[in-house]
Amino acid sequence: DSKVNIDYNNNNDTAIDSKNAIIQVNNLSKKFKGMKDLKALEHVSFNVKKGEMIVIIGPNGSGKSTLINCLSGTIMPSSGKIRICNHSDTRNVGVCYQKNVFINRLTVREHFELFGAYRGVPDDILENSIENFAETLNLRHMMNNRAGNLSGGQKRKLCIALSLLGNPPVVLMDEPTAGVDVQGRMIIWKMISSLKDTTSIITSHELEEAETLSSRMFIMTYGKVSFTGTSTELRKENKCGYVLRIDSESGNAQSVLKLAQSFVPDAEISEDREDVIRMPSNRRIADFLQAF
């Protein structure tokens, strides 16, 4: 009776929408049953190409974590299709969940050795990876500390490092910088953005970080992906940009509009006020203001 089709194999070249997609999601839905059924995901579809960094933003309860958990195989969708290409099983998908996953009594080093064995990472590569994460994430002085005794930020760094161990081709991260201080967030984002040949899907509440580092942003609301694209496309779609109010005897901005349009063709009089010109973000705004 199941309507779910999840394929983690690379034996079938039939793409849902794009032959170049490494992650393909088609019509994905997830309903949690209870006294009142909750639709956490509703007909979500998208494709992600190899090497993309997708950052998903949206309010709490919008379905971000549910989507990550469906992609990682932690929970089963109610219906729809997921295809993650170029790897044969989920061990090659790195996952950092919203809640930290580790064993309290194991040390940081023992975690790396355990996850390295699970992923089949050769000893020499594992040792190099441990050295790299210890240095990059400032974990060197706590390699022999038990994970349960780490601070909140250190626990988060450990879970991020474990998700990246073995250079998985696909990485899924749910709020990776939650509970991390400003310096720690910078370190984490810098490391994530430096990954080569890695396709990432990351959820975040930090719009500025998402805008700076993502190749595309997804916006989720009420279990649906309401927008996919770059920050520039988002601003254009929602007519975000500059607002110029003209104080003149005529009470309107028509006298300035022609000049504005000679620099920014999409400039227009506001629908709400005749004395306001709206202009989308444009490199020539400064030239217009100088001429004005």
Side-chain angles (χ1 to χ4, degrees):
D1 212 41
S2 174
K3 300 178 183 178
V4 184
N5 187 342
I6 301 181
D7 180 9
Y8 287 101
N9 294 311
N10 59 355
N11 299 324
N12 188 341
D13 349 350
T14 306
I16 293 172
D17 213 351
S18 170
K19 62 181 180 181
N20 297 320
I22 190 171
I23 300 174
Q24 301 164 9
V25 176
N26 188 34
N27 210 27
L28 193 70
S29 295
K30 176 62 181 177
K31 182 187 292 184
F32 292 102
K33 294 187 176 181
M35 293 183 64
K36 186 176 181 181
D37 288 351
L38 171 66
K39 290 183 179 179
L41 295 175
E42 195 170 356
H43 307 300
V44 172
S45 297
F46 61 83
N47 294 308
V48 179
K49 292 182 181 179
K50 182 178 179 179
E52 278 198 285
M53 180 189 287
I54 304 298
V55 180
I56 304 175
I57 60 174
N60 291 331
S62 60
K64 303 188 303 295
S65 294
T66 303
L67 177 58
I68 293 291
N69 290 334
C70 286
L71 290 173
S72 67
T74 307
I75 62 175
M76 290 294 291
S78 302
S79 61
K81 188 169 185 176
I82 298 171
R83 182 175 290 124
I84 299 182
C85 305
N86 298 338
H87 55 88
S88 58
D89 57 52
T90 56
R91 288 186 299 176
N92 288 322
V93 178
V95 186
C96 177
Y97 294 101
Q98 189 175 54
K99 292 184 178 180
N100 294 323
V101 178
F102 52 79
I103 302 168
N104 284 325
R105 296 179 65 84
L106 290 186
T107 67
V108 172
R109 175 172 286 277
E110 287 169 340
H111 274 86
F112 282 120
E113 291 170 349
L114 176 64
F115 277 73
Y118 175 69
R119 291 235 174 103
V121 181
D123 290 344
D124 55 337
I125 296 177
L126 176 62
E127 197 57 41
N128 288 335
S129 298
I130 293 174
E131 281 295 308
N132 181 47
F133 288 128
E135 184 67 30
T136 306
L137 296 175
N138 295 333
L139 293 173
R140 186 176 298 283
H141 59 291
M142 57 195 69
M143 294 302 292
N144 295 318
N145 293 8
R146 287 181 175 177
N149 296 332
L150 301 178
S151 69
Q154 292 165 348
K155 290 175 180 176
R156 204 67 187 137
K157 289 178 182 178
L158 172 60
C159 291
I160 289 168
L162 293 175
S163 73
L164 298 174
L165 193 63
N167 296 319
V170 174
V171 174
L172 309 172
M173 294 187 177
D174 195 358
E175 300 285 351
T177 57
V180 181
D181 60 29
V182 175
Q183 184 181 9
R185 287 206 306 270
M186 291 174 64
I187 291 171
I188 290 169
W189 281 112
K190 184 178 180 180
M191 184 183 67
I192 293 173
S193 62
S194 68
L195 297 174
K196 294 181 179 179
D197 300 322
T198 300
T199 305
S200 310
I201 297 183
I202 303 167
T203 72
S204 177
H205 281 296
E206 302 294 334
L207 180 58
E208 186 176 345
E209 293 172 348
E211 186 177 351
T212 304
L213 298 167
S214 64
S215 55
R216 280 190 296 157
M217 289 193 304
F218 288 10
I219 297 179
M220 289 198 70
T221 50
Y222 302 109
K224 298 179 180 180
V225 177
S226 56
F227 171 83
T228 64
T230 64
S231 57
T232 302
E233 291 168 341
L234 177 63
R235 284 193 176 91
K236 187 173 182 180
E237 183 175 304
N238 291 277
K239 297 183 179 179
C240 297
Y242 295 88
V243 176
L244 177 66
R245 186 175 67 84
I246 307 299
D247 187 4
S248 66
E249 292 181 2
S250 66
N252 65 60
Q254 289 293 341
S255 57
V256 184
L257 180 61
K258 192 172 182 180
L259 175 64
Q261 288 176 334
S262 68
F263 291 91
V264 185
D266 291 332
E268 60 184 9
I269 300 294
S270 172
E271 296 175 359
D272 305 325
R273 298 183 54 163
E274 291 184 354
D275 61 344
V276 169
I277 295 175
R278 292 188 175 274
M279 293 174 286
S281 298
N282 189 296
R283 293 178 181 273
R284 300 207 65 196
I285 291 289
D287 296 333
F288 158 67
L289 291 176
Q290 189 173 18
F292 181 50

